[in-house]
Amino acid sequence: MAEELLKQMLLAISSIEMEWGATVIACTIDASGESAKARCLLQRKFLHLVVPDCLAHQWNLIVGDLFKVKDNYGDKTQVLALLHDIQIATIGKTLTIIQAILTQWLSHYLAYRHLLEVRPALELLVTKHENALLTSGKWPACEKAATAIMTIKDAMFWHAIARWKNLLEPIALMTNIHQAAHAQLEYVVISFGFLYFQYSKLNDNVDSAA
């Protein structure tokens, strides 16, 4: 696998230098084991090349280590239908609830941001339909609904979500920059400086530890 990946990298470098007349000085791909081996093999052939890990991938791995995503919804069809109706009636559009997936970069940050945006509709959903949510479906679904309703009513839960969203925002911004097609090597140094500046301003001990 690494050897085949190396062939593709050599073809890409050759194409860039022959067709574009450019000199390749750096090459990066994701941080998997096969990719790391391919980068090592490439550097052995071209000692002048800089071959760092993909920093956007590294940000995603760091964020992924912090979270364990769990599905807390019971009867999704009913809940989402009610949520849709409430949002259309109140704000005229539907905001989605995103489940964070490790292989989709930025998904943790976007999941928390969207959850905060949907909060008013969720709270209105509980206010208007709590009894229906607690009595419809089989017992496991009702039990999950009760847990979800308690969570929606918990102000500390929303405070925690807001804190994590704010903590993840600088990393999400840097990930978006580094995964762009026009990302450049100097962005790495700039991003570390930006993140140090952002996180050095944290005053809360818990946030600083995270």
Side-chain angles (χ1 to χ4, degrees):
M1 179 65 179
E3 289 74 14
E4 182 60 32
L5 186 55
L6 174 63
K7 292 179 183 178
Q8 297 300 320
M9 295 165 71
L10 292 173
L11 286 173
I13 291 173
S14 176
S15 176
I16 290 171
E17 293 188 337
M18 292 182 63
E19 297 178 16
W20 296 1
T23 299
V24 176
I25 62 172
C27 181
T28 184
I29 48 179
D30 68 41
S32 67
E34 295 83 2
S35 299
K37 182 178 179 181
R39 286 199 309 275
C40 289
L41 294 173
L42 180 66
Q43 192 167 43
R44 290 175 187 174
K45 295 181 70 70
F46 301 105
L47 298 180
H48 68 282
L49 282 182
V50 179
V51 288
D53 273 339
C54 173
L55 193 57
H57 195 172
Q58 292 297 320
W59 295 140
N60 189 61
L61 293 176
I62 292 170
V63 172
D65 288 340
L66 298 176
F67 301 102
K68 299 294 182 182
V69 179
K70 183 177 180 181
D71 185 359
N72 286 321
Y73 295 99
D75 187 349
K76 294 189 178 101
T77 303
Q78 180 193 19
V79 172
L80 292 178
L82 291 171
L83 186 60
H84 173 271
D85 292 343
I86 286 174
Q87 291 186 96
I88 291 297
T90 55
I91 62 176
K93 63 180 180 179
T94 301
L95 300 174
T96 59
I97 296 177
I98 300 175
Q99 181 174 1
I101 301 173
L102 289 178
T103 55
Q104 295 182 3
W105 297 359
L106 304 179
S107 64
H108 288 85
Y109 167 72
L110 292 175
Y112 287 128
R113 192 184 74 180
H114 278 247
L115 190 57
L116 290 169
E117 292 173 351
V118 177
R119 177 184 178 180
L122 288 172
E123 292 176 332
L124 185 57
L125 173 67
V126 170
T127 300
K128 297 182 65 175
H129 301 286
E130 181 172 355
N131 290 334
L133 295 173
L134 291 173
T135 56
S136 62
K138 297 181 180 179
W139 170 246
C142 293
E143 189 175 21
K144 286 185 177 181
T147 301
I149 288 171
M150 289 179 60
T151 301
I152 292 170
K153 290 181 175 181
D154 186 356
M156 291 303 298
F157 166 76
W158 294 109
H159 176 68
I161 291 294
R163 287 175 65 186
W164 276 113
K165 179 258 184 185
N166 291 334
L167 281 171
L168 291 173
E169 199 160 46
I171 294 179
L173 177 60
M174 291 300 98
T175 300
N176 202 37
I177 291 174
H178 285 288
Q179 70 182 357
H182 59 273
Q184 300 180 30
L185 194 60
E186 61 264 28
Y187 293 176
V188 174
V189 178
I190 296 172
S191 68
F192 277 112
F194 171 78
L195 291 175
Y196 176 80
F197 174 75
Q198 291 294 319
Y199 292 121
S200 64
K201 296 188 295 183
L202 295 176
N203 295 321
D204 189 285
N205 290 333
V206 175
D207 289 346
S208 298

